[in-house]
Amino acid sequence: SQELEQSPQSLIVQEGKNLTINCTSSKTLYGLYWYKQKYGEGLIFLMMLQKGGEEKSHEKITAKLDEKKQQSSLHITASQPSHAGIYLCGADINAGGTSYGKLTFGQGTILTVHP
Amino acid sequence: DAEITQSPRHKITETGRQVTLACHQTWNHNNMFWYRQDLGHGLRLIHYSYGVHDTNKGEVSDGYSVSRSNTEDLPLTLESAASSQTSVYFCASSAWGTNDEQYFGPGTRLTVT
């Protein structure tokens, strides 16, 4: 089983709808990264969260890390076709946050946005 | 602008051949990582390096090796390519510390026939 579980695995929405992607761990997350990937391309950094309860926003994308630092959510408001792609969460899950950059990734969520 | 590049972008090789994938970054980052991406598994860490002459095994290191002779490059070698190593390979780099963003290369799609 994955140490980081993403849900849903795939998501199809109509343009303009809101959506949420979740990333859950049984271990404490010492740094949670969200990346977006277009098919056939590399990963684009979206946001990084460290503190329990932290929330960051960039344009129409908001990411939160819960107080217990075991779950993060990525919320897209008023989705657009440009939001389509694969969303990956990555985290340092070693005790004490000692991974020094070694990230464990979820399996990814494939987002399709229909115009 | 600083960047991270990978070559080749696509490679087809035969089972048993040795293959080397190149990764070059101009960020002057200490940390460099190799991941493979497979459907249903997300990205899995193969090898990583925290500086020149430092290399470490990741989660799926069997059949792979790396060497770090300078700051900019971390080539990944498949000693004897196997069909199970057909995958997309990503190189990443980051500055020292746990709080820093990892910058990813564009990926290399490797097919082993």
Side-chain angles (χ1 to χ4, degrees):
Chain A
S1 63
Q2 295 274 140
E3 290 185 289
L4 277 184
E5 290 283 345
Q6 281 186 240
S7 62
Q9 292 188 21
S10 64
L11 192 54
I12 301 173
V13 300
Q14 203 68 31
E15 183 177 1
K17 295 294 186 183
N18 302 337
L19 63 103
T20 299
I21 298 168
N22 293 304
C23 178
T24 303
S25 173
S26 58
K27 300 180 180 180
T28 300
L29 303 172
Y30 294 97
L32 188 288
Y33 299 73
W34 282 102
Y35 285 89
K36 179 187 175 184
Q37 183 182 24
K38 290 278 192 182
Y39 180 76
E41 299 179 13
L43 279 67
I44 300 168
F45 173 77
L46 295 175
M47 276 168 274
M48 193 269 280
L49 306 165
Q50 276 195 290
K51 300 176 183 177
E54 187 175 10
E55 178 175 322
K56 288 186 178 178
S57 294
H58 176 67
E59 296 180 343
K60 294 184 178 180
I61 301 176
T62 300
K64 301 178 184 179
L65 182 61
D66 74 351
E67 289 290 344
K68 292 184 178 179
K69 294 172 61 175
Q70 288 187 295
Q71 183 174 35
S72 178
S73 59
L74 185 83
H75 184 76
I76 298 177
T77 303
S79 58
Q80 300 169 349
S82 60
H83 288 127
I86 302 171
Y87 288 81
L88 293 126
C89 65
D92 175 355
I93 59 173
N94 275 359
T98 57
S99 291
Y100 299 117
K102 291 185 298 172
L103 299 182
T104 297
F105 282 87
Q107 75 274 37
T109 295
I110 303 171
L111 173 63
T112 303
V113 181
H114 286 309
Chain B
D1 286 346
E3 60 178 355
I4 180 166
T5 57
Q6 293 183 235
S7 62
R9 294 294 313 278
H10 301 273
K11 175 84 177 172
I12 300 174
T13 191
E14 295 177 344
T15 302
R17 291 195 178 267
Q18 184 180 77
V19 176
T20 296
L21 308 182
C23 174
H24 179 81
Q25 53 96 4
T26 58
W27 294 99
N28 200 33
H29 285 159
N30 289 320
N31 303 343
M32 295 186 73
F33 309 87
W34 273 104
Y35 297 89
R36 60 177 288 175
Q37 184 177 34
D38 304 285
L39 194 63
H41 289 281
L43 277 82
R44 291 180 291 175
L45 184 64
I46 306 171
H47 280 285
Y48 60 100
S49 167
Y50 289 142
V52 176
H53 302 310
D54 175 74
T55 61
N56 306 279
K57 294 181 179 181
E59 177 189 356
V60 290
S61 60
D62 287 350
Y64 303 95
S65 64
V66 293
S67 62
R68 186 93 180 267
S69 58
N70 58 53
T71 300
E72 295 80 18
D73 299 289
L74 187 70
L76 177 72
T77 297
L78 286 69
E79 305 294 343
S80 177
S83 57
S84 61
Q85 294 176 309
T86 293
S87 186
V88 181
Y89 292 86
F90 287 99
C91 178
S93 72
S94 66
W96 177 255
T98 60
N99 304 336
D100 293 310
E101 173 188 347
Q102 278 194 24
Y103 295 85
F104 281 79
T108 294
R109 184 174 295 275
L110 176 68
T111 302
V112 183
T113 61

